[in-house]
Amino acid sequence: MKKENKLRDLAFGKFAEDKAAEFYISKGYAIKERNWRHHRIEIDIIAQTGNIIVFVEVKARSGRDMSAADAVTLDKMKSMARGADAYLKSLQGDFEYRYDIFALTGDFDDYSVEVFEDAFVSPLLR
């Protein structure tokens, strides 16, 4: 991939994460973490409303041939679940939690957003 394409993709990913944070804030959530890391695991956004912690995977796609949400693989779900487990264990108290996918498709000027709340059950619990 050419350097300018990579830089554009990184900027578009950050743009999508900014839009996701704005979305959750507009719904009354507090953004607890962005790009939270635990070992080799990264969770894009961790938000909270009341007693509910939301682990958000942000996906951005410039092409319209594949839904951004379709890019969340089983391996990514497992990684998020391991990260969520570590994060929840670090908190004081008992929290409910869910996994959301924030999918942005298009470009900087013309995009659509789909939010999949409670997008999947932890694959570690199956």
Side-chain angles (χ1 to χ4, degrees):
M1 179 182 291
K2 292 182 180 180
K3 185 177 180 180
E4 59 270 8
N5 289 346
K6 179 124 176 108
L7 291 174
R8 185 191 67 234
D9 289 349
L10 289 171
F12 192 57
K14 173 142 181 11
F15 174 78
E17 287 182 3
D18 290 345
K19 293 299 176 191
E22 290 171 13
F23 171 83
Y24 284 95
I25 290 168
S26 77
K27 299 292 184 189
Y29 291 73
I31 303 299
K32 305 303 278 182
E33 304 282 347
R34 286 187 67 170
N35 304 113
W36 181 83
R37 293 181 185 278
H38 176 74
H39 300 289
R40 296 180 143 186
I41 296 168
E42 180 181 337
I43 297 177
D44 295 327
I45 294 175
I46 300 174
Q48 182 175 356
T49 182
N51 197 41
I52 301 171
I53 305 288
V54 182
F55 300 95
V56 183
E57 175 66 10
V58 178
K59 287 294 181 189
R61 291 289 179 268
S62 55
R64 300 193 187 275
D65 54 331
M66 176 180 164
S67 164
D70 291 338
V72 180
T73 64
L74 179 59
D75 284 344
K76 181 60 184 176
M77 291 177 200
K78 287 178 181 178
S79 175
M80 283 183 71
R82 286 190 296 274
D85 184 58
Y87 184 82
L88 291 166
K89 285 179 179 175
S90 75
L91 300 177
Q92 298 293 324
D94 191 26
F95 293 90
E96 294 179 36
Y97 65 93
R98 71 172 196 253
Y99 303 99
D100 287 6
I101 299 171
F102 182 94
L104 187 144
T105 306
D107 59 43
F108 291 102
D109 299 317
D110 180 24
Y111 60 87
S112 63
V113 168
E114 289 181 279
V115 179
F116 301 91
E117 288 188 6
D118 209 8
F120 60 90
V121 175
S122 172
L124 303 180
L125 298 176
R126 292 181 186 168

